[in-house]
Amino acid sequence: MAGVYPMLLDETCFFLAVDFDKGDWLEDSTAFIETCHRLNVPAVLERSRSGRGGHVWLLFEEAVPAALARKVGSYILTETMERRPDIGFDSYDRFFPNQDTLPHGGFGNLIRAAVAETSPGRRQQCLS
């Protein structure tokens, strides 16, 4: 397994990952990506190792403050919920990075890298 800590020591990041789990993860994450496309924000969906969830990855050209990345993610999530009130977004779990600032003496939260092996010879699936 390979993973990455999204937040750098200066509390910036090069990506935001949005974690969707549970039953309706595919519908919810697809709606989120549709909003990204409407806002001209490139996004990629990666199916989780279990196949019962996924991460939407927003990649930035340069490091941005983690707080800003999370605000962008919150804005997109809110816009998606307003655009699609028919779906409950129960599958939304959290953002990576999980916090705006690094905990004292810590690295933040680890996320599995998108290229991690799921089983011998099998890779994660990018769906969009």
Side-chain angles (χ1 to χ4, degrees):
M1 175 178 98
V4 62
Y5 291 97
M7 196 180 315
L8 304 175
L9 294 176
D10 64 356
E11 299 182 343
T12 63
C13 58
F14 280 96
F15 68 85
L16 179 76
V18 187
D19 189 17
F20 292 93
D21 294 312
K22 303 177 195 155
D24 293 330
W25 73 270
L26 186 55
E27 182 180 12
D28 294 353
S29 59
T30 300
F32 185 90
I33 287 179
E34 288 170 1
T35 302
C36 289
H37 292 168
R38 288 172 182 248
L39 297 171
N40 293 318
V41 175
V44 162
L45 174 62
E46 168 215 9
R47 183 186 304 266
S48 70
R49 194 174 105 178
S50 70
R52 295 185 302 261
H55 296 130
V56 174
W57 295 83
L58 307 179
L59 307 174
F60 309 124
E61 290 183 13
E62 57 188 48
V64 300
L68 176 60
R70 292 170 44 79
K71 284 178 185 175
V72 167
S74 293
Y75 176 78
I76 295 169
L77 189 61
T78 300
E79 287 294 309
T80 305
M81 292 169 75
E82 288 178 3
R83 190 175 59 77
R84 293 289 309 272
D86 54 309
I87 56 180
F89 285 92
D90 292 336
S91 70
Y92 166 73
D93 185 34
R94 59 185 164 158
F95 294 132
F96 289 89
N98 290 176
Q99 60 279 346
D100 294 342
T101 60
L102 279 175
H104 181 68
F107 297 105
N109 297 86
L110 184 72
I111 184 171
R112 181 183 299 271
V115 296
E117 293 268 340
T118 56
S119 62
R122 186 172 164 219
R123 298 232 179 238
Q124 302 293 86
Q125 296 177 324
C126 288
L127 304 175
S128 65

